[in-house]
Amino acid sequence: MQIATIVIPNYNGMSYLGPCLESLMNQSRQDFSVILIDNGSQDASVEFVETHFPEVAIHRFDRNEGFCRAVNEGIRQSRTPYVILLNNDTICDESFVEELVRAMEAPRDAAAAQIFSCAAKMVQMGDPDRMDNAGDYYCALGWAYAFGKGKTAARYDQEREIFSACAAAAIYRRKVFDEIGLFDETHFAYLEDTDIAYRARIAGYRNYYIPKAVVRHVGSATSGSPYNEFKIRYSSRNSIYLVYKNMPWPQIVLNFPLLLVGFLIKMLFFAQKGFLKEYVRGLGAGRALCRRDKKVSFQRKNLKNYGRIQIELWVNLFRRLM
């Protein structure tokens, strides 16, 4: 019986897929299947996988439908207790799957069954002694950030609770999607993993960072660079949408001063980078997404969870400095 389904979204990932899939074939635990969701690639990457990795199931879109629709298709096709999302520009240590599954099943406390996701320890492909991501945090400035990015990897060997798992290398409890919904395809890409973690947190679920599950990651393999028009426009758009969608109105009002400061700082930052126009356009596009039917419905039973989230939003302002 298979325990997990690994879903790999792909768009022109020919140069990365070989090492990525080879690392999965060499896992210490093999009770999983792999689905490649191709977003209309034109670089023969699908043909490469069909030839060299025939055990990998493939679903093809005619065009680039975005990260969210791709992973949602993989989740829909899965029939296993767990789903692992994995970027194509990664190489996994041999115990990657084993450690993620162990983390989901190992009892911690009475709320162990409330674990929604676990994030792998992502180190830089070119310098594995440097962190790429040790779990994601979201703060009251309206910023989501990768904890530990660029810092010494040896410092991040402690399991801990995080706000959200980076969907580039993370495991999810399949049945929770039935309760909170799949990834929001309105995002297309960027902040979609923060959004789904936020919804899970509202419902009372938890997310953890698992340092024994190690992945080397190139980063920005599809978008091309850390800063580009596409990434900045969608990130700024989705940052507005994320706040509106997940925060009840009293919480928005409470956080508004810090949110305003956060967006102004980002505006100045991208102005210096030469991307002010793209950032502002993204904010406008995000405002256009703020409709009543998109907002997470407030339920009184989740009031305690909202309170816990708010405290974390404040605490995470300072955690960014660690």
Side-chain angles (χ1 to χ4, degrees):
M1 179 179 175
Q2 292 184 337
I3 194 71
T5 303
I6 299 179
V7 177
I8 303 175
N10 178 67
Y11 178 67
N12 293 334
M14 178 75 175
S15 58
Y16 301 106
L17 281 170
C20 175
L21 292 172
E22 191 66 38
S23 72
L24 293 179
M25 300 305 111
N26 293 322
Q27 288 294 298
S28 59
R29 181 168 186 163
Q30 286 288 321
D31 50 347
F32 61 86
S33 59
V34 181
I35 302 177
L36 182 82
I37 309 295
D38 186 73
N39 262 326
S41 293
Q42 300 172 342
D43 65 349
S45 53
V46 171
E47 290 75 14
F48 170 79
V49 174
E50 288 175 333
T51 301
H52 296 280
F53 299 93
E55 60 270 61
V56 174
I58 299 173
H59 180 90
R60 304 182 71 163
F61 289 123
D62 293 332
R63 60 181 184 179
N64 189 350
E65 299 286 355
F67 177 87
C68 296
R69 185 172 179 192
V71 298
N72 282 349
E73 181 61 34
I75 294 168
R76 290 188 187 100
Q77 292 186 25
S78 67
R79 297 293 182 270
T80 52
Y82 306 114
V83 175
I84 296 174
L85 302 186
L86 186 67
N87 276 15
N88 59 8
D89 60 338
T90 57
I91 297 177
C92 307
D93 280 13
E94 64 179 15
S95 61
F96 167 73
V97 173
E98 182 176 1
E99 291 296 339
L100 287 181
V101 172
R102 177 202 61 78
M104 295 295 283
E105 296 187 333
R108 288 182 176 81
D109 52 35
Q114 294 297 98
I115 300 171
F116 170 52
S117 69
C118 287
K121 178 180 183 178
M122 298 172 64
V123 298
Q124 296 177 13
M125 184 71 76
D127 185 2
D129 291 329
R130 294 285 173 184
M131 288 300 305
D132 183 66
N133 187 297
D136 286 345
Y137 289 100
Y138 186 63
C139 71
L141 291 169
W143 299 352
Y145 58 90
F147 192 59
K149 191 172 183 69
K151 297 182 180 179
T152 304
R155 292 175 53 190
Y156 299 90
D157 283 339
Q158 195 73 32
E159 263 189 44
R160 65 188 137 71
E161 190 170 358
I162 55 178
F163 191 90
S164 63
C166 175
I171 189 169
Y172 297 83
R173 196 176 301 276
R174 175 66 178 80
K175 67 179 182 180
V176 178
F177 290 115
D178 297 331
E179 179 182 347
I180 67 171
L182 297 175
F183 285 84
D184 186 345
E185 295 180 13
T186 300
H187 282 86
F188 191 83
Y190 305 117
L191 295 177
E192 74 291 325
D193 43 12
T194 304
D195 170 71
I196 202 162
Y198 205 131
R199 283 185 276 142
R201 298 295 305 279
I202 291 171
Y205 293 98
R206 301 180 180 186
N207 306 294
Y208 285 86
Y209 164 69
I210 308 301
K212 289 185 178 180
V214 181
V215 168
R216 285 171 282 167
H217 182 223
V218 174
S220 301
T222 297
S223 62
S225 68
Y227 304 115
N228 57 70
E229 293 184 7
F230 174 85
K231 185 173 183 178
I232 291 167
R233 190 180 307 121
Y234 273 89
S235 295
S236 61
R237 183 195 77 151
N238 293 344
S239 64
I240 292 286
Y241 179 48
L242 180 70
V243 170
Y244 171 82
K245 178 182 174 182
N246 292 289
M247 291 187 186
W249 285 112
Q251 192 177 24
I252 292 177
V253 172
L254 176 64
N255 289 304
F256 183 78
L258 284 171
L259 290 170
L260 181 60
V261 170
F263 285 118
L264 287 175
I265 291 173
K266 287 278 189 178
M267 192 176 297
L268 291 173
F269 175 82
F270 286 115
Q272 291 180 331
K273 296 287 184 181
F275 291 109
L276 177 61
K277 184 183 295 184
E278 287 73 21
Y279 183 76
V280 173
R281 284 180 176 175
L283 294 179
R287 176 65 183 86
L289 295 176
C290 297
R291 305 195 309 267
R292 183 177 299 177
D293 62 315
K294 296 286 188 178
K295 200 165 179 65
V296 174
S297 177
F298 174 80
Q299 299 181 47
R300 186 171 295 180
K301 67 178 183 178
N302 293 327
L303 187 59
K304 182 179 178 180
N305 300 329
Y306 280 110
R308 184 179 181 189
I309 290 169
Q310 183 57 51
I311 292 172
E312 287 192 46
L313 295 182
W314 287 326
V315 170
N316 291 343
L317 291 169
F318 304 98
R319 183 177 273 121
R320 183 177 174 85
L321 304 175
M322 297 171 62

